[in-house]
Amino acid sequence: MSSTFRAYRVSKTDTDTATTRQVTHISEDTLATFEDNITIDVHYSSLNYKDALSATGNPGVTKTYPHTPGIDAAGIVQTSTSDKFQAGDEVIVMSYDLGMNTPGGFAEVIRVPASWVMPKPAGLSLFESMVLGTAGFTAALALDALISQGLEAEAGEVVVTGASGGVGSIAVALLAAQGFEVVASTGKQAAHDLLNSLGASRVVGRDAFSEASSRPLLKGTWAAAVDGVGGVALANIIKSLKYGGAVAAYGLVGGAELDLTVFPFILRGVSLVGVDSAECPMAKRVEIWHKLASDWKLTNLDAITQTISLDELDEAVEAILRGEILGRRVVDVRS
C-alpha cells in the first residue's frame, strides 16, 4: 500500500469555471513518474502569482485537474533513481513544469525528474531558499542581466516597477545591497516605508509611468530598470533610459503590447533584455543561486516575509489575486 501525505489540492471539472480547493491527504500514487525519479520530502514552498492562477483554474497555467500548485519547493531527498542525488540531500526545485501540470510544492511530497533538481547552496537554509524562491531568483537574474549589459553603481538611478511584489521587493534589496541608487515604483502607499527599509533611495507612484506618450523619446532619466509591468510603463521606461541604459523585463501585469519606435535603440543605444526563470538552464541556475547564497546574500528580508501553513493558503491565494500582499509568503508545508 502506498503512503499518503497532505497537499493543497485543487479540483475542477470540464464544465466548471470555478475551482474547489482543500488541504487533504493524497496517495503517492498520484505523483508523476519519470525516467530518473527524485522523490522529495518538501519542507518549504512559497506563494507566487502563478500559483494563485493555477489554484483558480487558469488554463494558461494548469490544464489538468485535480492538481497541486506550487512552483517552488525546498526539501530533503527521500528516494532517488539517479546517481546525481541520494537520500538525505537538501535540494531546491523551482519552475520548469513544477506546480503547473506536474504536482507542485504545496504538498509534503513531490516527485520530479533529476534534471529539475538543484543541490541547495551551503550558504542558505531550506527556509531562506524559499524566502527567495522563483521571485528572488528572477530578481537576481535581472540584476545579473543588467550587470552583463555594463551597468555600474555610479551610472545613476535604477528604477524598479512593481516594487511591492515578490520579485520587485527583492530586486530593490539586491540592487541596493550592491551599491546601486534604487528608485522603487509602486501603486501601494502602504509599501513606501517597507521599500525604503529595503534600500530604495526614493519611492514613486505607478502613475509616473502609466500615461502613454506619442513621443519617440523622453528625457533620459534612468541608468537602468527592472520591470515587471510591461505595456505602457515599459515603453515609457525604454524611452527615458539614458544613453547605453538597459531594462530587464520579466512581467506583463500592465499589458503585453509594447508601443515603441526604434529611436531609443538606435539613437541612445539602449537594450531591452528579457528575463525568464522557467526554462533557465541548470548551469545558470546554479551560478545565480550560489551568488544568492554568498556575494548577493540578503539579510534584510524579514520585514517582507510572512510564514503561512498549507491551511492558510486559500486565504493567501485570494489576497494575492486582489493585489493585497506585500513581499513574500513562505509556506511551511509541515507545520
Side-chain angles (χ1 to χ4, degrees):
M1 180 182 295
S2 63
S3 60
T4 63
F5 56 90
R6 294 179 81 230
Y8 177 76
R9 200 70 167 159
V10 181
S11 299
K12 180 177 181 287
T13 67
D14 292 339
T15 57
D16 284 340
T17 57
T19 58
T20 57
R21 310 184 294 267
Q22 63 176 332
V23 178
T24 186
H25 282 83
I26 60 175
S27 168
E28 287 197 16
D29 292 340
T30 62
L31 297 175
T33 57
F34 305 92
E35 183 176 346
D36 287 325
N37 284 317
I38 310 293
T39 304
I40 299 166
D41 291 328
V42 180
H43 287 240
Y44 298 100
S45 182
S46 68
L47 176 64
N48 301 277
Y49 191 76
K50 185 179 284 188
D51 299 321
L53 294 179
S54 175
T56 51
N58 187 301
V61 178
T62 300
K63 295 178 173 60
T64 304
Y65 293 86
H67 175 65
T68 305
I71 65 172
D72 290 332
I76 298 174
V77 173
Q78 179 191 112
T79 61
S80 170
T81 62
S82 167
D83 57 8
K84 294 180 180 178
F85 298 95
Q86 298 183 9
D89 289 348
E90 294 189 323
V91 295
I92 297 170
V93 186
M94 44 157 282
S95 57
Y96 294 111
D97 190 54
L98 184 71
M100 296 178 66
N101 292 290
T102 301
F106 295 166
E108 292 177 333
V109 180
I110 60 172
R111 184 179 296 133
V112 295
S115 60
W116 294 5
V117 183
M118 192 194 84
K120 179 189 68 62
L124 293 171
S125 67
L126 291 173
F127 176 81
E128 288 172 328
S129 71
M130 290 295 97
V131 172
L132 296 166
T134 293
F137 176 72
T138 302
L141 277 178
L143 173 58
D144 182 72
L146 293 178
I147 292 173
S148 296
Q149 292 295 313
L151 180 64
E152 297 178 347
E154 57 271 18
E157 292 182 324
V158 181
V159 65
V160 177
T161 63
S164 63
V167 180
S169 57
I170 296 177
V172 169
L174 278 172
L175 284 158
Q178 296 307 307
F180 294 97
E181 186 176 357
V182 186
V183 176
S185 171
T186 179
K188 298 176 182 176
Q189 184 67 36
H192 285 215
D193 289 345
L194 188 63
L195 291 167
N196 288 141
S197 74
L198 292 175
S201 61
R202 60 190 178 98
V203 182
V204 298
R206 68 162 66 104
D207 54 352
F209 306 100
S210 62
E211 185 174 344
S213 171
S214 60
R215 295 174 59 188
L217 289 170
L218 299 171
K219 179 182 177 182
T221 303
W222 313 109
V226 175
D227 178 65
V229 177
V232 172
L234 178 56
N236 284 334
I237 288 169
I238 293 171
K239 293 177 184 181
S240 56
L241 286 171
K242 293 180 178 180
Y243 191 89
V247 53
Y250 68 89
L252 44 66
V253 296
E257 301 299 322
L258 194 57
D259 186 11
L260 282 173
T261 69
V262 299
F263 287 115
F265 303 100
I266 64 174
L267 296 182
R268 289 185 179 164
V270 306
S271 301
L272 171 59
V273 184
V275 176
D276 168 62
S277 60
E279 297 297 331
C280 180
M282 181 56 74
K284 190 66 175 181
R285 289 172 186 254
V286 171
E287 174 192 335
I288 295 296
W289 274 103
H290 278 273
K291 286 183 178 180
L292 287 167
S294 55
D295 295 346
W296 291 0
K297 183 166 184 179
L298 296 171
T299 58
N300 61 339
L301 298 183
D302 288 352
I304 65 165
T305 304
Q306 180 179 328
T307 304
I308 61 175
S309 67
L310 288 178
D311 299 291
E312 296 171 300
L313 258 173
D314 216 41
E315 181 179 346
V317 162
E318 295 296 335
I320 199 171
L321 289 172
R322 293 192 299 265
E324 295 174 355
I325 286 183
L326 303 179
R328 299 286 288 148
R329 295 294 181 273
V330 176
V331 184
D332 185 346
V333 174
R334 295 177 177 269
S335 65

